[in-house]
Amino acid sequence: MRNSEAIEKRRTFGIIAHPDAGKTTLTEKLLLFGGAIQTAGAVKNNKIKKTATSDFMEIEKQRGISVATSVMAFEYAGKQVNILDTPGHKDFAEDTYRTLTAVDSVILVIDCANGVESQTEKLMEVCRMRNTPVIIFVNKMDREGKDSFTLLDELEDKLTIKVRPLTWPIGMGDRFKGVYNIYQQNLNLFQANKTKREEEIVSIKDLNDPQLNDIVGDAFADELREELEVINGVYDEFNREAYLRGEVAPVFFGSAVNNFGIQELLDTFIEISPSPIGRESDSRYVEPNDAKFSGFVFKIHANLDPKHRDRIAFLRIVSGKFERNKFYHHVRMEKNFKFPNPTSFMAQDKSVIDEAFPGDVIGLYDTGNFKIGDTLTEGEKMMYKGIPSFSPEIFMELENLDPMKSKQLDKGIRQLTDEGVAQMFIIQPGNRKIVGTVGQLQFEVIQHRLINEYAANCRFAPKNYFKACWITTEDKTQLESFIKAKGNYLAKDKDENLVFLAETQFLLNMAEQDYPDITFHKTSEFKLES
Ligand code: G4P
């Protein structure tokens, strides 16, 4: 396939939502309508989870939260749709933010009763930073929720983006009749239907058509006419260019669990969403149709399959064509690697691929060479920018409960922290391991995985650190005196970089004042800062 054709064919996007708004359900329904799975309910019944798709870990099932990010690809209407799943829980926000660097657009799911929630706002901020095009799906219309106009105002206010409804609900909750597709001028009548994908669509081009009254009754028909008049008066015509610039978000209404409103969403998504776009590197902007291959790693996951000890780096292809068994340049390591078993993630399966194109996300088996943000090229020395790194906020010491298993524990914590959801600092004497994260729940996940995946019995004990600061300086004397004075608060990260673990803001300020020639970096990305 020619590159330009492949690029035009691909749609790579993420679904984001505050937990419980219906992201998992919508993902499943998109797979259902896309023909990638045959029965709904599979994600929830864990039928799919067990094989390859959404969530990897037992803990996720127990807690009902989606922790890991995975990729699901399927073909629909001549397009290859790549869905990048993201965790909704705030403790895993980092993972979601990084995944958003690998998508070209997003679908944001809102619960019609809860409206814009805290996580919704944060996720939108990240989208706005990169002007990512956003489609909004207002879910759970089969339940009583906020008035739809109030909701649109709330979306505009809190998310600081213009909205433009492309479908419009008729009633809600018990009185929910269906949605009118403003874009295609037809009426989709609601039926509670949790497993199949049948929809009753009636074409009503002229809203004055008395058929509308016959179908939904006089009161609803009049209400719909009035409301659509208001919409057409208040909101500008939908403008695809403005959507692609991230300035206006088209809005759809529906009920994911009832398969309702999904077809409109999917069809419009295919029509309007962007094909793969380029990315900024530290030396230039790279277009997807650049002849030479390049891509970046945005996620690493160890032990994807507990039966095989493997680690997979998720690579988003930005330009050119990726080919199996061809040597590519690992820019940070200044080494060339080839990949005999790159995998794609078609909905139910992981399978080895021979080639992949811009917009695709592939899995590369990794023996420890990759870090998040790493760039592969055909030789050009450039690194992709904008992969956020985080300063840990919560610290705990990892305690080994089984001295016979220290090797496993050591290996496990190193591999898991390589995934980028936590950082590890080692304090001497005694090789004590301090783990820092941005969310409490990560400790539970790490502990659970250490026990289950590495058979390393362990627990975490809280530590009262306020911040970890990587320190650099040209002034050796000052460094020596700092090490002498603060030795008890110094640790090394996994790459042997010196880190100051400050207990309070005050102590950090004092250190900065007393040692003016030392730089205190708040994230581990200091090498890129200079
Ligand atoms: P999340 O991934 O965003 O966290 O949400 P998820 O899809 O797991 O949905 C959260 C809950 O909302 C689920 O109920 C789900 O069935 C329900 N839900 C999703 N879409 C709709 C909808 O359109 N209408 C209504 N009424 N409910 C919806 P649960 O009780 O947590 O799980 P389950 O036992 O129903 O599977």
Side-chain angles (χ1 to χ4, degrees), residues 17-26 44 64 139-143 254-258:
H18 189 89
D20 258 359
K23 183 171 64 66
T24 314
T25 314
L26 179 64
K44 284 284 172 195
N139 191 26
K140 306 197 185 180
M141 290 303 293
D142 58 316
R143 286 209 191 142
S255 167
V257 80
N258 287 299

Side-chain angles (χ1 to χ4, degrees), residues 212-257:
L212 181 64
N213 297 55
D214 298 343
I215 298 170
V216 297
D218 290 341
F220 280 114
D222 287 344
E223 194 177 300
L224 178 66
R225 289 182 186 114
E226 272 168 34
E227 291 184 342
L228 289 178
E229 211 175 291
V230 174
I231 290 169
N232 291 329
V234 172
Y235 297 99
D236 293 339
E237 282 267 311
F238 173 66
N239 177 329
R240 180 170 181 237
E241 294 309 314
Y243 154 71
L244 292 177
R245 288 194 301 268
E247 291 166 8
V248 62
V251 182
F252 292 82
F253 294 82
S255 167
V257 80

Side-chain angles (χ1 to χ4, degrees), residues 13-17 86 96-101 103-109 119-136 159-161 243-247 249 277 388:
F13 74 107
I15 303 182
I16 54 177
T86 54
T96 300
Y97 298 158
R98 291 199 184 112
T99 298
L100 290 180
T101 64
V103 304
D104 299 308
S105 71
V106 303
I107 294 182
L108 170 65
V109 188
Q119 229 14 51
T120 329
E121 284 185 64
K122 294 220 179 88
L123 290 162
M124 261 309 280
E125 273 169 31
V126 180
C127 293
R128 267 202 315 270
M129 269 155 43
R130 300 181 51 239
N131 298 324
T132 308
V134 178
I135 293 179
I136 298 174
L159 303 181
T160 340
I161 189 164
Y243 154 71
L244 292 177
R245 288 194 301 268
E247 291 166 8
I277 50 178

Side-chain angles (χ1 to χ4, degrees), residues 346-362:
M346 292 306 271
Q348 308 256 17
D349 250 337
K350 281 193 297 180
S351 53
V352 173
I353 44 121
D354 288 317
E355 52 184 30
F357 298 91
D360 284 343
V361 170
I362 55 172

